[in-house]
Amino acid sequence: MTEFWHDLTNPEYVYGHLTYILSTIAVAMRSMRWLRTFLIASGCVGIFYYGFVIGDRVSTIWEFVFTAVNIVQLAIILFVARLSAVDEHERFFIQQVTPSLDESQRRKLMKIARWHTGMPGEVLMAEGQESPNLIFLTRGAASIERGGTLIGVCGAGDFLGEMSFLTGKPASATVRVANEVRCCVFDPGVLRALLDRNPDILQTLENSFNRNLVGKLERMNEATQTTGASSGSTQSFA
C-alpha cells in the first residue's frame, strides 16, 4: 500500500496520471465535441510524458496516432456543424416546409436553394413567364397582379409559382415586391431532377403546397367576406 501511494504521489508520474484524468473526463462528456477535445488533450500530455519523461518511443507513437485520429474526428464534427448551421430564414423554411424530412434529405434540398433579398418594386415573377422559379417567402410581402390589376398579397410562409411548377404552365400573375422580402428560390429544372431521385422530398413539398393552397383559399374567403364581394380572387395562385 505504501508503494502504491508513493507511485500515486510521485511527481515523476504526474503527467501519466494527467493522461488518465483527462481520458476519464472525456468519457464523462455528453457532447462529442468536448469528448474529442479532452481526448486530444490527453493524447498531447501522453506524447510529452512517454516521449520526453519516460523515453518510450513505442508508446509515444501510439499516443501520436491516438491524438491524430481524434483531431481528424473533431475537425469532421466542426465541419458538419458549420454546414448544418442555419439562420432564422432557413429555420423558418425548415419548420414550415420540411419538418418531416431527415437531415440528409433536408441538406439535399437546401443545397440547390438560392437565397435572395428582394427590394420594393422588384418583379420576382412575370405574368406569362415560362418555367418561373419556385419561391418561398420567409419575410416581407409581395403584391400579386394580373393584367395590371392588383388581385392579392402574399407574405412570409407563402409559396409563389407552385402551380406553374406542378402543371408546367406559365405564371398566371406578376409577383412584385411590396416591401423588402427574403425568399428561398429554386430553379424548377434543378428541383425536378432532385425530386425524381428523392420521392420523399417530392411528397413533402406536395404536402406543403397543399397546406399553402388551403391557407390562400381561407384568406381569399376572409377577404371576400370583409369587402362584401360576391366574386373575384384576392389571392394569387401564380
Side-chain angles (χ1 to χ4, degrees):
M1 181 63 69
T2 302
E3 183 179 354
F4 169 78
W5 284 110
H6 176 268
D7 290 343
L8 187 63
T9 58
N10 191 332
E12 295 182 3
Y13 300 148
V14 64
Y15 292 107
H17 297 323
L18 184 56
T19 60
Y20 288 110
I21 292 172
L22 291 172
S23 295
T24 301
I25 294 174
V27 297
M29 294 292 103
R30 300 182 65 179
S31 165
M32 285 300 295
R33 184 179 302 184
W34 282 109
L35 184 148
R36 296 294 180 182
T37 299
F38 277 105
L39 287 180
I40 290 169
S42 174
C44 290
V45 173
I47 291 172
F48 177 80
Y49 177 65
Y50 290 110
F52 298 95
V53 179
I54 301 299
D56 185 342
R57 293 184 179 180
V58 174
S59 295
T60 302
I61 291 174
W62 280 115
E63 289 290 338
F64 178 82
V65 172
F66 172 82
T67 304
V69 169
N70 280 285
I71 288 174
V72 171
Q73 290 299 317
L74 179 60
I76 293 173
I77 291 172
L78 296 176
F79 179 73
V80 171
R82 183 176 180 181
L83 289 180
S84 302
V86 296
D87 63 17
E88 59 179 311
H89 300 289
E90 293 179 28
R91 190 176 301 111
F92 181 75
F93 177 87
I94 291 170
Q95 292 171 346
Q96 296 294 316
V97 181
T98 65
S100 62
L101 289 181
D102 63 38
E103 186 63 29
S104 62
Q105 292 174 319
R106 191 176 296 137
R107 281 200 298 268
K108 291 178 183 178
L109 182 61
M110 299 311 297
K111 186 177 180 179
I112 65 171
R114 174 173 60 87
W115 286 93
H116 174 71
T117 299
M119 304 307 293
E122 178 182 346
V123 174
L124 298 177
M125 186 180 306
E127 184 176 355
Q129 179 181 345
E130 297 286 346
S131 299
N133 290 325
L134 176 66
I135 300 172
F136 180 81
L137 299 180
T138 62
R139 184 186 66 199
S143 60
I144 313 302
E145 305 168 7
R146 183 174 296 143
T149 301
L150 178 66
I151 62 171
V153 175
C154 282
D158 282 331
F159 274 105
L160 303 170
E162 73 275 27
M163 295 305 295
S164 293
F165 179 77
L166 291 172
T167 65
K169 294 181 179 180
S172 61
T174 294
V175 180
R176 193 184 308 274
V177 177
N179 52 54
E180 183 178 311
V181 301
R182 184 68 172 166
C183 53
C184 185
V185 183
F186 295 93
D187 178 278
V190 176
L191 180 57
R192 286 193 184 92
L194 174 68
L195 299 182
D196 288 343
R197 301 190 302 270
N198 298 272
D200 289 343
I201 301 178
L202 172 61
Q203 184 63 54
T204 296
L205 281 183
E206 288 180 343
N207 291 340
S208 186
F209 292 160
N210 291 335
R211 290 193 300 270
N212 191 235
L213 180 58
V214 170
K216 288 179 177 180
L217 288 172
E218 289 176 348
R219 292 198 300 271
M220 181 187 71
N221 292 333
E222 290 174 1
T224 300
Q225 292 172 2
T226 300
T227 59
S230 60
S231 63
S233 171
T234 60
Q235 187 68 36
S236 165
F237 299 98

